Amino acid sequence: MPRIGVFVCQCGNNIASTVDTKKVAGEMSKLPGVVFTCDYKFMCSSPGQEMLKQAIKENKLDGVIVSACSPHMHEKTFRKASEAAGLNPYQCEITNIREQCSWVHHDKTRATGTVKSIDLTRMTIERLKRNKPLKKIKIPVRKKALVIGGGIAGIQAALDIAEGGRDVILVEKEPSIGGNMARLSETFPTMDCSQCILTPKMVEAELNERITLYTYSEVEKVDGYIGNFTVQIRRKSKYVDEDRCTGCGECIEKCPFKVESQFELNLTKRKVIYTPFPQSVPNVPVIDAPNCPKIQKDKCGACAIACGPKCIDFKMQDKIVTEEVGAIVVATGYQLMPNERFGEYGYGRIKDVISGMQFERLASSSGPTGGEIRRPSDGKVPQSVVFIQCVGSRDEKKGVSYCSKVCCMYTAKHTMLYSHKVHGGQAYVFYMDIRSGGKRYEEFVRKAIEHDNAMYLRGRVSRVYEKDGRVVVQGADTLSGSQVEIEADMVVLATAIVSREGADTLAQRLGIGYDKDKFYNEYHPKLRPVETVTAGIFLAGTCMGPMDIPESVAQGSAAASKVLALFSADEMAREPITSVVNRATCNACWDCLTACPYSAIERESVKDRQGNIVRWLAKVNEGVCQGCGVCVAACRSKSIDLRGYTDEQVYAAINAF
Amino acid sequence: MAFVCNWCTYAGADLAGTSRMEYRPNVRIIKLPCTGRIDPLFIIKAFENGADGVLVSGCHPGDCHYTTGNYHARRRWIGFKNLMEFVGIDMRRLHFSWVSASEAIKWVDLINNVTDEIKRLGPFMEYKGLKENRAEQRKG
Amino acid sequence: MKMKLSNEDISSVRVRQIERISGEDVRKCYQCGNCSGGCPVSFEMEIPPSQVVRFLQLGRVDEVMAANSMWVCVGCLQCYSRCPKGVSVAAMLEALRQTVLRKGEDFEKIKDLPYPFLKKAPQQALVCGFRKFVS
Amino acid sequence: MKIPYYPGCTLNTVAKHFDASARDAAVSMGFEMEELAQWNCCGATFPLTPDNLIGLTAPAKVLSNARKAGDTLTTLCSVCYNVLKRTNKVMKDSKEKRAVVNGFIEEEYDGSLNIIHYLEVLRDRVGFVKVKEAVKRPLKGVKAGCYYGCMLLRPFEDIGIDNAERPTVFEDLLRALGAEVVDFPNKIECCGAHLAMNNEDVVVRLSGNVMTSAVGMGAELIVTSCPLCQYNLEKSQPKVSERTAGYAGVPIAYFTQILGLALGQPVEGLGFEKNATDIMPLLQKKGIV
Ligand SMILES: Cc1cc2nc3c(=O)[nH]c(=O)nc-3n(C[C@H](O)[C@H](O)[C@H](O)COP(=O)(O)OP(=O)(O)OC[C@H]3O[C@@H](n4cnc5c(N)ncnc54)[C@H](O)[C@@H]3O)c2cc1C
Ligand SMILES: Cc1cc2nc3c(=O)[nH]c(=O)nc-3n(C[C@H](O)[C@H](O)[C@H](O)COP(=O)(O)OP(=O)(O)OC[C@H]3O[C@@H](n4cnc5c(N)ncnc54)[C@H](O)[C@@H]3O)c2cc1C
Ligand code: SF4
Ligand code: SF4
Ligand code: SF4
Ligand code: SF4
Ligand code: SF4
Ligand code: SF4
Ligand code: SF4
Ligand code: SF4
């Protein structure tokens, strides 16, 4: 016979005013197995908890019910108290008679509240009788982190984790880290030069001995769970031996072929063997294999001849490396929506219609024009430039529904850069709303207007066309209610920020969620903004949605601090609410395996003494199982059950109804 | 009887409590980690044990704490509805809904509406007898 | 111009009627002005397309009924084609015309049209014109 | 190959030469435009009033008749194309509307027709490569502006013949015929449409923009696919010349006339004399005739 104690809380008057707690306790004492009951003013108070502990010891209770507030409030409190009194904490259950009774049934006669409290407590008692003592699951933690994506967010995360004394692997798919920020000229709101603040960080990441850089690499496969991930990384062939290359650049010098530079957004060309930009980290060139005639048809080879240390190997193959890590930070960033989608703006057809990112390159002192604003068609300095905001953003029909958040700010920045670089030039900006929420952001935009003379027009542009070597912009100024036409020399489109191509594939590999726009989902947008629902995987930066550099960096640091917190203990304890398979009855139909949203179920083979496989069984990986119970309902032979929510427990509660 | 998930609907009901909203007292909640945990037999058992109506509620599709548990639940219901009809349970006694942690008002409305509808239908007798019958059979 | 707005304006049944005839929802428009920017006859309109929608949002049907906008719209669908919210001002203007025409009030009298035009113009211009201007 | 064909009322009257040149060109390309045995006017405008379906009955009637003749229907006039294609979509997509309209016309039409424009026949069924091979009188040196107007392109979701902002089908055809094409900004802007009835000023202005922008980009010829565009451009020509300094007019012709010309058909049969603008000086200058 179980020995159960029932403690009914009055919560001051919160419960007692509509529930007769004495009566509840009294009724409960009549049930078989209940050996102790009482009611008390504040169960969660120190005296209340003391009383609970005392009662457990004195009455040798093997189960405890506290009928009080929501378990979301004080379940932890009472389980801790029970544990202190020597009881298994999972033998303590809460009945919610406050949020579910006294606060929602205002009957002053206390009749309804009391009846319902009695029912609920009885159901919990029956359930408790079938509880089994459970132990928190302990998982060892591998104290090494993986950061995917070497933009500013990823670099920051890697640096902070290394700073905290843990090893980090930073995987970047391009030949250099730096991400989109490496392309920017000067950056709002402080207008410091992007390279000047980014390059030191990139170099630091390269030199820090706790950080292993895998550039030109991608994550292929992720297995395991928090504390114990196994990751396979494809290191794409650079055709250059990284360890021996001195970064002298002779090979690049001698390469006779040029192609469009993606880094410069096709504004200029680069060699077939190249580093994306001069400050690349690591400063090791890679051969663009599809464009190299040597690799394609064995013609050329000039670079290999030029290379002093002989580190070029045209036969080099991709390598797969396997790493074991305890936590993963995803910081894969964003890309821009293809402007060609907006035929009315002429991008791709009219040379002098460019994207905001291309403008960054024009304004950058390391860019193709050395920082002079010259239009692509004929290299002239444009005397009037029209900036069009919200291109593709806030456009449900042809673009994305959300606001890209940074383009109002960088457009204001562009007008400033332009007015500083081209004296007498006039900037026009077509906008719908100006979104400049942030410290000193509004002031920044006002400065562009009031000090640098940008002409802001509230309205969208309908179309852009070429006429006599100029670009005509036709739009509206809704404030004056007029149609507007501007003959300009150049047009800059503030293109929507969208998720990376392949973001969904990576998410599926990692088992993390993403939204309709393929941005990754945070656990909770306000309270757990850098965690995912998959324990041990964290997020940072624009892979979650548009944001600027300050925010991306803050998130990189936040993710790093989460990783360091995880690594601060050698083992992690987890709630023991996981599934278990009944090995006797499982008939290996794998219904559970396909149902489990976390891939927590594995196939286990049972072997006879000779080592022949005699049968298969489902096996739950407790580290991965999150305790949702989907598998339990899926299993037709009732061979899998969920600890803490077993069929037996649930039926007991139903039967006590 | 209401089967609700721990993360959304249970929290939604808590919020109704903390907001001191009032609703019909006839509901008895059983908390489960996820609607995906709900076995169709739970519902049949609930009817056997005298429930006049059953409500199942979890997170909104797409919001599931366990990523896709509620999709499983939803998929299961499709086949399950037929079964219920087959065994003679009036589908008006069985309600499915999504209530998020912030939708206290929805929870209150839901309970009120469901209770009222079930009251209109009167007590559910066909199943209540079953348990006793079986007990008697066993004895006899 | 000063407008005094009231709850009655905002929930005007006349606007609901325009919405019903056109199948459009005036609230969807976020006043970006793209339609006015691209409308080929905006220059001729007393109230440009985006402001027509604005007046409807405010429940001010009289203002738009008094303007020539609906009669000069050529139905080219440029507004609809480029509206980022998928709103068809063309359909709203059609609805405004219909509220007049369905009352039996003609905007154009067939007998007033010049004979050489009737003889030479493509049939489609006549048929279309009659549908737009004649009840 | 015989393709069911709906000419529409304008092509049966003031734009007979558009119709005739298209049929002749078809024959030289190896297919035949087979006119529907029975047809009526499509209504010349797709009704934008979803609350009242009466405007759909005329085009639905056409469609239901055409379905009896085959599974495809070709049109030539942009407006007919627009109205029939959009009506067809309604009949296909909306069960309720289909029921109401069918009730009116006492037919059981389900939207299963494939409505294609003559340009699509050339592009997708014949192929511009074949067209090019069939050219006997290449339009060498002729700089042509292709004027799409509105109804051939918009709304993209319903029509989808080509990119609504950057169409190329017309240019591709003209290139196949040996012409040089010039891109001009107003090629997808309205000519003034039915305002021809009561607002000449607007029509002159819009048509004028089309012509001056084409000529500004170097066009010596404007090609159209719609009788109303053809009419408005031609009709406005004198006024535009009057109002625009340095503008001396430009010949306007249906694309089928130009097609027939390139395919080597006798020039007299192409109906150029029915156009209000004279293309002959241009053709003579280029040595084509
Ligand atoms: C035109 C323009 C101007 C801007 N100007 C400013 C400004 O002035 N001030 C400001 O604060 N912000 C500005 N921003 C915003 C700024 O660019 C971003 O906030 C910042 O770059 C985001 O950094 P990130 O690390 O999140 O992403 P990214 O910079 O995109 O970095 C992501 C990195 O991950 C790598 N990666 C992607 N997928 C994988 C994969 N599967 N495996 C491995 N690696 C992968 C990418 O190659 C990239 O290196 C501007 C943005 C634009 C478009
Ligand atoms: C009307 C309104 C509505 C809002 N709605 C939303 C919303 O819907 N969603 C949203 O995300 N955000 C909302 N916000 C913003 C939100 O309130 C803030 O982002 C958030 O509360 C900031 O939290 P905090 O901890 O930084 O500051 P605070 O909430 O201000 O907390 C600071 C604490 O520090 C204490 N303190 C101050 N000085 C001292 C001292 N010297 N020593 C010791 N203690 C000190 C204060 O007493 C206070 O408890 C809203 C803000 C307003 C004004
Ligand atoms: S345990 Fe809960 S119900 Fe009891 S006094 Fe504390 S808060 Fe109130
Ligand atoms: S082998 Fe390839 S990379 Fe090397 S120099 Fe020749 S083209 Fe350039
Ligand atoms: S020449 Fe050799 S050492 Fe120098 S950068 Fe090229 S690969 Fe590296
Ligand atoms: S940040 Fe500004 S420009 Fe960018 S989408 Fe939002 S409102 Fe438009
Ligand atoms: S309880 Fe959920 S997470 Fe655990 S094994 Fe079952 S389905 Fe997977
Ligand atoms: S569903 Fe049940 S029987 Fe099938 S494999 Fe899983 S545990 Fe075994
Ligand atoms: S384009 Fe659309 S959203 Fe913009 S003002 Fe016009 S109707 Fe409104
Ligand atoms: S359909 Fe009418 S309102 Fe719309 S762009 Fe054309 S003329 Fe203007």
Side-chain angles (χ1 to χ4, degrees), chain A residues 240 245-251 285 307 309 311-312:
Chain A
V240 173
C245 171
T246 60
C248 67
E250 285 297 326
C251 52
C307 177
C311 39
I312 294 177

Side-chain angles (χ1 to χ4, degrees), chain C residues 35 38-41 45 49 72-80 89-90 93:
Chain C
C35 49
C39 172
V41 290
M45 287 184 177
V72 295
C73 164
V74 284
C76 69
L77 300 184
Q78 203 62 275
C79 51
Y80 172 55
V89 187
L93 291 167

Side-chain angles (χ1 to χ4, degrees), chain C residues 30 36 38 42-43 49 62 68 78 90 112-113 131:
Chain C
Y30 59 12
S36 296
S42 199
F43 67 88
D62 287 337
N68 69 351
Q78 203 62 275
D112 296 345
L113 293 172
R131 294 184 82 161

Side-chain angles (χ1 to χ4, degrees), chain D residues 118-131:
Chain D
Y118 191 84
L119 280 168
E120 285 171 296
V121 178
L122 294 180
R123 183 185 64 187
D124 306 332
R125 303 215 169 173
V126 178
F128 287 153
V129 179
K130 279 249 173 66
V131 174

Side-chain angles (χ1 to χ4, degrees), chain A residues 70 72 523 595 638 645 655, chain B residues 6 14 37 39 49 65 72:
Chain A
S70 167
H72 290 181
Y523 194 111
K638 299 268 154 267
Y645 292 93
N655 284 335
Chain B
N6 184 20
D14 271 0
R37 169 69 182 93
D39 192 321
N49 278 287
H65 180 81
H72 283 279

